Amino acid sequence: MENLQNQKQRHGCLTAWLVLMMLVYTANMAYSIVLSFIVITPMQMIIPKWIFFLLAAICILNVVFAIFIFRWKKWAFWGFLVTSLITMGINIYTGNGILSSLVGLFGVGILFALLQLKENGRSAWENLE
């Protein structure tokens, strides 16, 4: 019985958020790749084709980071933060405003908040290695 209490557990909201993130990033990756093939010529002057492939790669990384958070790796959270900052830079580079580019950091903020929720007296953040 004591061994069950010592097992790492995550709050259900965190689990749901990680699954949602994996689904959204997978869909966004596919969307980025499709856009790279159908971008019309005038838009290519504004957004180079390589940007779409970079965004797709970032989405793949984020799915990997979500998997590693499921496996209790703290570095995966920092990976989310880095990719969000890179995406913010890409958004600014492609002409989005700074405020709209900051919206991507809300996902990392929500993830951090959900990692603080306690399950059996310990937060998921405390359980991360």
Side-chain angles (χ1 to χ4, degrees), residues 13-56:
C13 292
L14 174 59
T15 301
W17 183 253
L18 289 171
V19 169
L20 178 66
M21 288 176 81
M22 287 191 291
L23 292 171
V24 167
Y25 283 121
T26 301
N28 201 8
M29 182 261 317
Y31 179 70
S32 294
I33 291 172
V34 167
L35 273 182
S36 73
F37 290 109
I38 62 171
V39 165
I40 53 176
T41 306
M43 194 174 182
Q44 285 177 333
M45 290 183 250
I46 300 168
I47 304 174
K49 198 171 258 202
W50 62 268
I51 292 281
F52 296 107
F53 291 111
L54 179 59
L55 290 172

